[in-house]
Amino acid sequence: MTGAQKAIMQIVKEHPHQTAEHIYTVAKKSMPNIALGTVYRNLGKFADSNIIRRISRGDSPDLFDPTIAPHDHMICSTCGSAEDIDLPGLEDYINAHAKREIESFELLIYYVCPKCA
């Protein structure tokens, strides 16, 4: 793993649920010569290799999460901040009602966070 890749991974771990632009801004502080394209390219590579998780939010920038185990997210529709949410039994409920084999699912719950309320 290159120095830039190590730095990007460390930032994702320390700043979960952030955009590539945020990760780039943090990386620039310790690696002034890093390019935005380098950050995007490596985040995409890590997500495609299931090293990190990409959270796609439609017409908003993707977020990157160091936790790859299945879990769901709550996203503030005002500021875009995200947090994990644990919904025990949801997978069993979906499997019981889908009447098909479910390979995976990802639930994004949109709400207004306490800071924006």
Side-chain angles (χ1 to χ4, degrees), residues 35-94:
L36 180 58
T38 299
V39 173
Y40 270 103
R41 188 172 40 262
N42 283 293
L43 289 171
K45 178 181 174 181
F46 295 151
D48 291 345
S49 299
N50 293 318
I51 296 171
I52 62 173
R53 186 174 186 177
R54 179 193 316 261
I55 304 167
S56 297
R57 302 181 296 157
D59 56 356
S60 295
D62 292 345
L63 302 176
F64 295 91
D65 190 348
T67 305
I68 58 170
H71 65 285
D72 302 303
H73 295 94
M74 292 178 58
I75 299 174
C76 178
S77 56
T78 303
C79 70
S81 65
E83 63 182 87
D84 294 341
I85 182 169
D86 183 29
L87 300 168
L90 181 61
E91 185 172 1
D92 293 336
Y93 179 84
I94 291 171

